[in-house]
Amino acid sequence: MSEVSVSDLHKAFGETAVLRGLELEAEAGSLTAILGPSGSGKTTLLRLIAGLERADRGKISLAGQLVDDGHNYVRPEGRRIGYVPQDGSLFPHLTVEQNVGFGLSRQARRGDRVTSLLKMVGLGRMERRYPHQLSGGQQQRVALARALAIDPQLVLLDEPFSALDPSLRVAVREEVRAILAQTGMTTILVTHDQEEALSIADQVAVLRDGVVAQFGTPHQLYHDPIDLEMARFLGDANLVDGVVEGAMVTTALGSLALRPAGNGPGAPTGPAVVLLRPEQIVLSSDQGAAGVPGRIVRSEFYGHDSIVDVVCDQLRLGGHIRVRVQGTTGLKEGAHVAVSAKGDAQAWPKTA
């Protein structure tokens, strides 16, 4: 049974339509990421689920209970939802312990609920500190503990890691993911960070023009985007010309098995635009190696891998190809290489 069910959801602010018949299902115990650019309606959707906004039309149900259909409406306090806003919104004059227990009854605050939650989020010895005495990551864990204190049926996270430094952001989101998995809590995360959505979510809903353009596992969305716009939005996309014949597509980088579009139209026949992810591109500095000749124009080393930009004059649109390799290539900018492709590919009919 779905813990969250959204059907034909509409919301406008004045003359501006934000959500236009949105559909969404989130299974119990799952973490669903709502991904989209600024202005796509992500936070509006979250606020409608929380009851902070009311729907113009459509239905929102939580654990089978209708909470909003444009007429009937359950107030936020009746929905058992834990909400973690972007900045944490901790009370600066309250201690960590008091912040976490804020939504509990006086009797519940006297129990061990707050103590156990602080231990779970790794802040067991910090109950007497104030928010300004904590790091950004610690403040977000306090906000999460406060959201969990009321024993919610659903946790909503509104871009909770965006204000953190990049290195801290990765560590905190992994900690939060582990805590939520430990509790088995159903969670919806709003983010504009594609890496974040793909790395921690069980399923991802990509919003476009007020509707869910594609919904699926991170693997499905990355490898089987429904169209070229989705391919460009989710990760780096190398788009090259090709020709489809049967189950194969021939490109300048080699002939590859064709992978039909996951949720889109069937495989094209004839001229096509072919999607190749950076990890599918093979570089060789050996003279006479098969592939398209190219020249390295940029190389960025990240420790675990490198991102290399190559210009291939034989390819269209200036022939810029992005390559991901493990470790480092050992090649400098300006080095001449041969570029080829491996794996299977996805293709769409070429228009103009």
Side-chain angles (χ1 to χ4, degrees):
M1 179 180 177
S2 296
E3 190 73 19
V4 181
S5 178
V6 177
S7 176
D8 192 31
L9 189 63
H10 292 255
K11 181 63 180 179
F13 296 99
E15 298 297 320
T16 303
V18 178
L19 301 180
R20 302 176 175 88
L22 184 141
E23 306 277 341
L24 179 70
E25 299 283 336
E27 297 300 318
S30 66
L31 193 160
T32 300
I34 308 298
L35 178 64
S38 297
S40 61
K42 304 185 301 296
T43 296
T44 297
L45 173 59
L46 210 68
R47 289 177 62 83
L48 285 164
I49 294 173
L52 302 175
E53 301 282 352
R54 295 192 61 172
D56 296 334
R57 195 170 85 228
K59 295 181 180 181
I60 302 173
S61 296
L62 303 179
Q65 177 192 6
L66 180 67
V67 295
D68 195 354
D69 64 359
H71 302 287
N72 302 294
Y73 168 73
V74 176
R75 295 178 62 83
E77 59 269 24
R79 300 192 186 193
R80 283 187 56 209
I81 288 177
Y83 192 97
V84 180
Q86 183 172 337
D87 59 1
S89 296
L90 300 180
F91 298 110
H93 63 292
L94 298 182
T95 65
V96 166
E97 183 179 47
Q98 291 167 334
N99 265 284
V100 173
F102 183 80
L104 299 176
S105 66
R106 183 176 301 177
Q107 181 178 358
R109 287 197 295 269
R110 289 198 293 264
D112 61 359
R113 176 69 175 164
V114 172
T115 300
S116 62
L117 282 168
L118 288 175
K119 287 181 179 178
M120 184 175 66
V121 299
L123 299 174
R125 298 182 179 180
M126 299 184 181
E127 65 273 4
R128 301 299 182 188
R129 294 190 184 183
Y130 288 87
H132 72 273
Q133 297 174 313
L134 304 176
S135 68
Q138 289 170 335
Q139 290 180 23
Q140 286 303 94
R141 282 186 277 165
V142 173
L144 177 62
R146 183 177 62 185
L148 294 174
I150 62 171
D151 192 23
Q153 63 183 6
L154 173 67
V155 172
L156 303 178
L157 307 176
D158 189 1
E159 302 205 45
F161 316 117
S162 61
L164 303 178
D165 293 336
S167 58
L168 182 60
R169 185 183 310 154
V170 173
V172 173
R173 76 187 183 206
E174 289 176 352
E175 291 173 358
V176 169
R177 178 66 173 115
I179 292 167
L180 292 169
Q182 179 183 342
T183 63
M185 189 64 60
T186 307
T187 306
I188 295 180
L189 164 72
V190 157
T191 181
H192 64 273
D193 186 326
Q194 299 146 2
E195 178 184 329
E196 184 170 283
L198 296 177
S199 64
I200 70 171
D202 298 308
Q203 55 268 325
V204 180
V206 181
L207 266 58
R208 183 197 297 168
D209 298 327
V211 299
V212 174
Q214 188 169 0
F215 180 81
T217 67
H219 185 276
Q220 289 170 335
L221 268 65
Y222 183 77
H223 291 287
D224 295 312
I226 59 169
D227 53 30
L228 288 171
E229 183 178 350
M230 190 67 67
R232 293 188 185 99
F233 180 70
L234 287 168
D236 292 320
N238 295 307
L239 300 175
V240 300
D241 289 333
V243 177
V244 174
E245 295 182 38
M248 301 294 293
V249 57
T250 301
T251 74
L253 302 180
S255 293
L256 305 165
L258 186 66
R259 183 175 66 251
N263 295 324
T269 299
V273 178
V274 182
L275 168 64
L276 296 170
R277 295 297 189 184
E279 57 272 17
Q280 293 183 254
I281 308 300
V282 179
L283 292 181
S284 177
S285 59
D286 297 336
Q287 290 187 351
V292 174
R295 176 174 50 86
I296 295 177
V297 295
R298 186 177 183 183
S299 181
E300 299 175 344
F301 178 60
Y302 294 99
H304 48 77
D305 63 11
S306 296
I307 298 295
V308 183
D309 290 325
V310 181
V311 169
C312 302
D313 294 332
Q314 293 183 17
L315 300 180
R316 70 182 187 120
L317 300 177
H320 287 271
I321 294 291
R322 176 151 282 199
V323 188
R324 179 179 288 112
V325 296
Q326 288 188 340
T328 179
T329 63
L331 300 173
K332 297 181 178 180
E333 294 180 5
H336 291 274
V337 294
V339 181
S340 59
K342 63 181 179 180
D344 52 11
Q346 190 169 338
W348 293 270
K350 187 176 181 181
T351 53

